[in-house]
Amino acid sequence: NISGVNMSGTPFYATDPTGQQTRMRGVTNAKVLVMVDGIPIHDPFYSTTQWFKVPLSSIQRVEIVRGGNSSLWGRLAVAGVINIITKKPVDDSGVLDLSYQSLNTTTVAASKNWLFSNGLGVRVSGDLMNTDGYQTTPEAYLDAVPGKGASSATNGNMAIAAYYQPAPDLEAFLRAGY
């Protein structure tokens, strides 16, 4: 619900196998830089945003800077920058979210933190989504498209991240995902 930021209403699994287009102020996805903790998550060929690489349970906040930022962030930031900041472990907590929605859509998101010392923490996050999808072709035109059915999909991802902060002005992280 940010003015000037446009996302397709069609789910990414029904439009593009590599991700979803992100538009800002009417400029195409190739000119909007989307990052997780300062690291770009674009598909290198289509420049679509690979949202499935970001477990929802790991998001702390999203920072959006609209307008030309190429001088700071490079050629992909002509229309603006979206930076997703992930949660860092502050205790040994865990979270489990389950939901059931229309079109037989189910989602599961889980995360677990381990804090080993004041400067070292590990976070494991994962999401799973399954949907029967919806019919993208109007009923009147289904005969013209043989085999056209609902756009069902199953997507899952998992990420593990280690954070190390030995001093207030020095920090590092290592993240792996599947």
Side-chain angles (χ1 to χ4, degrees), residues 106-164:
T106 56
T107 59
V108 178
S111 65
K112 175 66 176 135
N113 297 329
W114 290 275
L115 194 60
F116 297 107
S117 67
N118 287 341
L120 179 63
V122 173
R123 179 177 181 81
V124 176
S125 304
D127 290 342
L128 181 63
M129 186 272 300
N130 184 36
T131 181
D132 286 347
Y134 64 96
Q135 183 55 259
T136 58
T137 304
E139 191 74 33
Y141 299 106
L142 283 176
D143 292 338
V145 185
K148 183 69 175 175
S151 57
S152 63
T154 300
N155 291 312
N157 71 65
M158 185 173 152
I160 182 168
Y163 299 90
Y164 182 57

Side-chain angles (χ1 to χ4, degrees), residues 24 31 33 64-82:
M24 200 175 280
K31 302 300 181 195
L33 178 61
I64 299 175
V65 181
R66 295 179 295 167
N69 288 286
S70 293
S71 60
L72 295 174
W73 296 98
R75 67 176 179 81
L76 288 177
V78 172
V81 176
I82 299 173

Side-chain angles (χ1 to χ4, degrees), residues 13-159:
Y13 54 82
T15 59
D16 190 324
T18 65
Q20 187 171 25
Q21 292 195 12
T22 305
R23 297 175 184 202
M24 200 175 280
R25 297 184 173 225
V27 181
T28 65
N29 61 310
K31 302 300 181 195
V32 178
L33 178 61
V34 181
M35 302 181 294
V36 174
D37 291 329
I39 300 171
I41 59 169
H42 287 90
D43 175 88
F45 187 74
Y46 295 105
S47 293
T48 54
T49 305
Q50 298 178 333
W51 294 112
F52 59 86
K53 289 186 174 182
V54 186
L56 292 176
S57 57
S58 70
I59 297 174
Q60 178 181 357
R61 69 180 185 277
V62 178
E63 299 173 341
I64 299 175
V65 181
R66 295 179 295 167
N69 288 286
S70 293
S71 60
L72 295 174
W73 296 98
R75 67 176 179 81
L76 288 177
V78 172
V81 176
I82 299 173
N83 190 21
I84 300 165
I85 307 298
T86 58
K87 296 176 185 174
K88 294 184 172 102
V90 293
D91 57 15
D92 288 338
S93 64
V95 175
L96 176 64
D97 291 320
L98 303 169
S99 71
Y100 180 79
Q101 302 155 23
S102 62
L103 303 171
N104 203 26
T105 301
T106 56
T107 59
V108 178
S111 65
K112 175 66 176 135
N113 297 329
W114 290 275
L115 194 60
F116 297 107
S117 67
N118 287 341
L120 179 63
V122 173
R123 179 177 181 81
V124 176
S125 304
D127 290 342
L128 181 63
M129 186 272 300
N130 184 36
T131 181
D132 286 347
Y134 64 96
Q135 183 55 259
T136 58
T137 304
E139 191 74 33
Y141 299 106
L142 283 176
D143 292 338
V145 185
K148 183 69 175 175
S151 57
S152 63
T154 300
N155 291 312
N157 71 65
M158 185 173 152

